[in-house]
């Protein structure tokens, strides 16, 4: 299978001042999927414009025809499975079945405290995630769900008519630890990684490739426990967080080299950030578009 190329468009632009055109251009350039971050705000963008993920994706669905749309990633930090399921079913319907839900355990940043709570520990995040994903799975596949858990409850939550995509829209589960890997193996249609964050500052490209190889081996073990072939699970690398940082977007050759090394590991989808001037995601727009238009053929 050819390596698929997707992008992530951060929701910092007003819709009528560049937002709409970015999503339409992503479709024109042939990206497989265009994702957005599902955060209330994010790092250096915290004091500037930042819009909601699901309304943005709904608007994008209305101005595109075949581009897949998704979140990278939605987390329990400020989402509840019952209300999230209703919004996702609506979005899947509006888009004609073009939605992928990227889902992760969340972190300790701004989202973790915006609702006034203390940030959860890594164990608490993992505990919630372990309930969040299976309950969301049920809510998106069953007409009526009642559930009482340690962290989430649902009482006759109805989700008729369900998703356009059957049995539900696909989950892309971000995970590196054993519990998350098991969730990906059991409920995911795809698995998401950003590489090993411990290597970002001082690691090398070779070390990063080796770390991702190890992650995929652990994913294979988790799939085997579920009686599932890891080959049936898409493997998504969100770029920009490995030691390579923005180097793969410096030229077409640099990108093809980077992509080829990761395709050899079993990565099926590479996601690149839409260029944002004066940010960590700054990139030459002409080179970016050249990569989008020409790299897929070289990676086929």
């Amino acid at each position: 299978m050819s390596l698929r190329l997707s992008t992530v468009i951060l929701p910092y632009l007003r819709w009528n001042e560049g937002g709409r055109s970015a999503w339409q251009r992503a479709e024109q350039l042939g990206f497989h999927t265009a994702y957005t971050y599902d955060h209330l705000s994010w790092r250096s963008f915290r004091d500037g414009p930042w819009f909601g993920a699901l309304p943005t994706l709904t608007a994008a669905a209305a101005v595109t025809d075949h581009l897949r749309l998704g979140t990278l990633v939605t987390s329990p930090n400020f989402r509840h499975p019952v209300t999230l399921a209703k919004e996702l079913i609506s979005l899947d319907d509006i888009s004609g079945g073009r939605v992928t839900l990227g889902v992760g355990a969340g972190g300790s940043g701004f989202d973790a405290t915006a609702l006034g709570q203390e940030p959860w520990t890594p164990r608490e995040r993992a505990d919630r995630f372990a309930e969040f994903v299976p309950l969301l799975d049920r809510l998106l596949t069953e007409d009526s769900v009642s559930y009482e858990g340690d962290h989430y409850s649902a009482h006759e939550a109805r989700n008729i008519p369900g998703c356009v995509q059957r049995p539900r829209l696909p989950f892309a589960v971000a995970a590196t630890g054993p519990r998350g890997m098991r969730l990906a193996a059991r409920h995911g249609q795809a698995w998401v990684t950003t590489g090993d964050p411990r290597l970002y500052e001082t690691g090398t490209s070779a070390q990063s490739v080796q770390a991702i190889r190890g992650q995929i081996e652990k994913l294979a073990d988790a799939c085997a426990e579920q009686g599932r072939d890891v080959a049936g699970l898409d493997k998504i690398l969100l770029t920009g967080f490995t030691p390579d940082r923005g180097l793969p977007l410096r030229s077409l050759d640099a990108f093809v080299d980077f992509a080829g090394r990761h395709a050899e590991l079993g990565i099926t989808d590479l996601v690149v950030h839409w260029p944002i001037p004066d940010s960590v995601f700054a990139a030459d727009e002409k080179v970016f578009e050249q990569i989008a238009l020409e790299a897929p053929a070289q990676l086929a």
Side-chain angles (χ1 to χ4, degrees):
M1 182 180 67
S2 300
L3 187 71
R4 291 183 290 255
L5 183 57
S6 297
T7 190
V8 56
I9 302 172
L10 270 60
Y12 76 102
L13 292 171
R14 288 187 179 276
W15 190 247
N16 292 322
E17 297 175 6
R20 177 198 290 110
S21 60
W23 292 87
Q24 292 174 320
R25 185 59 178 154
E27 181 166 74
Q28 292 166 359
L29 290 171
F31 283 109
H32 178 266
T33 305
Y35 298 95
T36 197
Y37 286 4
D38 189 13
H39 290 294
L40 297 173
S41 185
W42 191 76
R43 299 186 186 180
S44 60
F45 295 86
R46 181 174 178 180
D47 294 323
W50 189 274
F51 298 97
L54 295 180
T56 296
L57 291 172
T58 303
V63 298
T64 57
D65 296 314
H66 55 265
L67 179 71
R68 287 198 64 82
L69 308 164
T71 58
L72 276 184
V73 292
T74 294
S75 82
N77 269 353
F78 62 94
R79 296 290 189 187
H80 190 287
V82 170
T83 52
L84 177 61
K86 181 66 70 175
E87 294 186 2
L88 289 171
I89 287 172
S90 303
L91 175 58
D92 197 51
D93 181 70
I94 292 166
S95 69
R98 291 187 281 136
V99 178
T100 294
L101 178 72
V103 61
S108 57
F110 175 69
D111 291 350
T113 57
L115 300 184
Q117 78 271 28
E118 291 297 315
W120 301 320
T121 66
R123 184 186 181 105
E124 288 172 328
R125 290 199 300 270
D127 288 344
R128 287 177 178 271
F129 195 45
E131 271 193 35
F132 188 90
V133 174
L135 177 54
L136 190 59
D137 194 333
R138 288 188 60 196
L139 288 161
L140 292 172
T141 53
E142 300 176 22
D143 288 347
S144 179
V145 174
S146 292
Y147 172 81
E148 195 70 39
D150 293 331
H151 303 288
Y152 302 104
S153 299
H155 178 66
E156 296 182 0
R158 282 173 166 74
N159 286 301
I160 300 169
C163 295
V164 173
Q165 300 175 89
R166 294 293 180 173
R168 58 157 168 76
L169 55 83
F171 288 0
V173 182
T176 54
R179 295 177 71 185
M181 291 286 196
R182 286 194 291 271
L183 286 172
R186 184 169 183 178
H187 299 279
Q189 284 65 57
W191 164 77
V192 182
T193 185
T194 57
D196 187 338
R198 296 171 296 183
L199 298 174
Y200 180 74
E201 294 291 345
T202 59
T204 66
S205 295
Q207 288 173 328
S208 178
V209 166
Q210 186 60 33
I212 294 171
R213 178 180 287 109
Q215 290 175 349
I216 293 175
E217 289 171 354
K218 292 177 181 177
L219 179 66
D221 291 341
C223 285
E225 290 177 10
Q226 296 292 327
R228 186 176 182 183
D229 185 352
V230 71
L233 201 64
D234 289 338
K235 300 161 193 71
I236 301 170
L237 172 61
L238 174 59
T239 66
F241 302 101
T242 66
D244 309 271
R245 305 192 189 187
L247 291 176
L249 295 181
R250 293 282 180 87
S251 70
L252 175 61
D253 288 345
F255 182 82
V256 170
D257 178 66
F258 174 86
R261 284 185 278 119
H262 289 85
E264 289 175 358
L265 300 178
I267 294 294
T268 59
D269 298 73
L270 280 180
V271 183
V272 293
H273 288 82
W274 197 264
I276 302 176
D278 303 317
S279 78
V280 293
F281 303 125
D284 185 301
E285 291 187 14
K286 290 183 179 179
V287 173
F288 179 82
E289 293 202 354
Q290 182 188 22
I291 289 168
L293 292 169
E294 299 181 26
Q298 295 193 32
L299 295 166

